């Protein structure tokens, strides 16, 4: 992950960085499961790859991607309730990826 954002202790980060952490953690896990993000692929292009692999998580993937884009590109402040919502989406996606990894 060339973002420079390490995958450890998200709560020690700013709300903006926490959202980026949750997104990048899913990118990392999806890559481990055979759905890597190409270097030239935008988050909006990549989310389509993810949704085709995990269609049952479409709404969560859309929400996580939207939040990531806002955290990455918007100058608007991000509040803690927004981070809490993203964390819940992240947990649901992570569980779906775990379940699919256990399938034969």
């Amino acid at each position: 992950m060339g973002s420079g954002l390490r995958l450890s202790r998200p709560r020690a980060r700013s709300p903006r960085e926490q959202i980026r952490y949750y997104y990048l953690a899913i990118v990392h896990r999806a890559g481990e499961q055979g759905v890597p993000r190409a270097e030239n692929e935008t988050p909006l292009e990549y989310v389509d790859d993810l949704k085709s692999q995990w269609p049952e998580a479409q709404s969560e993937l859309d929400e996580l991607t939207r939040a990531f884009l806002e955290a990455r590109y918007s100058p608007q402040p991000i509040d803690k309730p927004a981070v809490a919502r993203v964390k819940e989406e992240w947990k649901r996606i992570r569980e779906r990826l775990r379940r699919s990894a256990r399938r034969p």
Side-chain angles (χ1 to χ4, degrees), residues 19-53:
I19 289 173
R20 291 178 62 199
Y21 165 87
Y22 295 126
Y23 176 81
L24 294 172
I26 292 301
V27 169
H28 180 76
R29 186 174 292 266
E32 289 178 340
Q33 292 190 21
V35 187
R37 181 176 167 202
E39 239 179 81
N40 64 341
E41 197 170 27
T42 69
L44 291 174
E45 293 167 334
Y46 184 58
V47 77
D48 288 337
D49 295 343
L50 296 174
K51 290 188 304 189
S52 69
Q53 183 68 30

